[in-house]
Amino acid sequence: MYSLTEIGPSIWSREEIQSSIEDFRTVYQERPIKVNSGGMRLPHMFAVWFIVRKLSPSYIVESGVWKGQSTWLLETAAPNAKVISIDLDLSNREYISKDAEYYDIDFSEMDWTSISDDALVFFDDHQDCYRRLQQAHWFGFKYVIFEDNYPAGRGDCYSLKKAFDGVGFTVPGGQKKKGVVAQNRLIRLLYKALGFSSFSYMPQYRSHSVRPNNVDATFIKKKLASYAEFPPVFMSENTRWGDPWVSDRYPTPAPIYGCRQLSDDDFLTEFYDDACFYTWICLCELK
């Protein structure tokens, strides 16, 4: 069984993360979308900003745009990078970059022959992460961030965390392939009405489950130079699903702060209030 939080060396230190929180305060205050319903909340915005600023890649791809907050965040973290933004449904954008290139084509169908050696792809599209990692490796990407790295029994896609745990993935609601596209149209409309992500990629991941196995973890490890889950700034008492955030069910890197360190800092309090939206966001470096 592989570690569920880290394989190989990570690019950060805990001290470096803590010292960067104050720098992010101003960045966060300038975000274009103040209420990003269905999108990244504060813990993951900080993680993406920190990782991208640290790596400083010259070429960035985001798969899953939603309202556009992540596009702005990537540009802010790496102002000199070329940014490619992909979503099958671009109609939800509230922030539209003047510099990013937008495509409504799936990541797997794009032409990536001209990417740089330090290219990074940020997946926030609720796809099968095992397949996405295969695609990214085949196309020659160096770094991969998975935003929705759900633990066993949680979430709506097959994540690397689940692969390392060998638990597979069961399609939510027990949907079958027959009629799945029609069902997904209704589900997508419902999510939009509720203010959540459009899940424009839903037909692909909803059409299959993954049996429990240890093979996926073996092959993933062969292609990884490193895998690291970004530590949460705080751990709340309960997870986003309402159950206790305990280490035996939800292995998690130790948080940067304990609750006793909140004091009267409104920004840290906001980090804590959003802590349950942390879903083990991770960085992979591919061989």
Side-chain angles (χ1 to χ4, degrees):
M1 181 68 67
Y2 304 124
S3 166
L4 294 181
T5 62
E6 187 174 88
I7 298 172
S10 62
I11 66 168
W12 53 69
S13 68
R14 298 178 61 80
E15 293 75 20
E16 187 178 16
I17 292 173
Q18 183 174 345
S19 65
S20 296
I21 292 174
E22 185 60 33
D23 293 337
F24 187 65
R25 183 190 299 261
T26 301
V27 174
Y28 186 70
Q29 290 172 346
E30 295 176 351
R31 68 196 186 281
I33 302 169
K34 302 305 181 184
V35 181
N36 193 28
S37 302
M40 280 192 295
R41 302 293 283 266
L42 180 51
H44 282 197
M45 285 187 66
F46 172 61
V48 172
W49 173 83
F50 178 93
I51 293 170
V52 173
R53 190 178 70 154
K54 176 78 173 177
L55 293 175
S56 189
S58 58
Y59 197 106
I60 302 174
V61 175
E62 63 166 335
S63 181
V65 175
W66 187 221
K67 295 182 180 180
Q69 187 93 291
S70 56
T71 310
W72 170 83
L73 187 67
L74 294 169
E75 291 179 324
T76 302
N80 297 319
K82 179 176 182 178
V83 177
I84 308 294
S85 299
I86 303 171
D87 200 303
L88 298 188
D89 181 3
L90 293 168
S91 66
N92 300 294
R93 291 173 297 171
E94 295 180 12
Y95 171 82
I96 300 177
S97 170
K98 296 179 180 179
D99 300 314
E101 296 180 14
Y102 291 97
Y103 297 92
D104 58 355
I105 304 171
D106 187 80
F107 172 81
S108 63
E109 299 174 350
M110 293 282 292
D111 177 4
W112 301 119
T113 54
S114 63
I115 65 171
S116 61
D117 293 337
D118 64 346
L120 178 148
V121 55
F122 170 54
F123 287 117
D124 187 11
D125 56 13
H126 298 260
Q127 281 290 325
D128 181 327
C129 293
Y130 181 67
R131 292 185 181 181
R132 283 305 199 206
L133 198 68
Q134 288 177 318
Q135 294 161 2
H137 184 268
W138 172 257
F139 291 133
F141 283 85
K142 177 70 172 178
Y143 300 104
V144 181
I145 298 174
F146 286 106
E147 202 266 340
D148 298 296
N149 192 29
Y150 294 112
R154 300 299 188 186
D156 53 15
C157 57
Y158 186 45
S159 65
L160 297 190
K161 198 167 182 67
K162 290 174 185 173
F164 291 140
D165 207 16
V167 298
F169 168 65
T170 301
V171 173
Q175 295 180 21
K176 306 297 182 181
K177 289 186 177 181
K178 182 178 180 180
V180 68
V181 173
Q183 292 178 43
N184 285 330
R185 289 191 185 118
L186 294 174
I187 294 170
R188 194 179 302 118
L189 289 173
L190 175 60
Y191 268 85
K192 279 190 175 183
L194 293 173
F196 295 115
S197 172
S198 64
F199 293 109
S200 53
Y201 295 96
M202 191 177 293
Q204 181 175 332
Y205 78 71
R206 287 281 177 173
S207 65
H208 71 279
S209 295
V210 179
R211 293 181 180 178
N213 71 89
N214 294 316
V215 175
D216 290 351
T218 300
F219 279 105
I220 291 170
K221 189 171 186 289
K222 286 183 177 181
K223 302 301 180 183
L224 291 181
S226 65
Y227 163 89
E229 295 173 10
F230 194 83
V233 175
F234 292 101
M235 289 178 65
S236 57
E237 182 178 349
N238 294 323
T239 68
R240 65 189 304 174
W241 301 283
D243 57 340
W245 195 341
V246 289
S247 59
D248 58 342
R249 178 169 185 181
Y250 301 113
T252 306
I256 301 301
Y257 290 117
C259 295
R260 64 184 182 278
Q261 294 172 276
L262 277 173
S263 66
D264 296 322
D265 189 314
D266 292 339
F267 189 54
L268 291 183
T269 299
E270 190 169 355
F271 259 110
Y272 181 78
D273 291 343
D274 275 359
C276 67
F277 292 96
Y278 171 88
T279 49
W280 296 270
I281 185 170
C282 65
L283 170 67
C284 302
E285 180 180 355
L286 292 167
K287 292 180 178 177

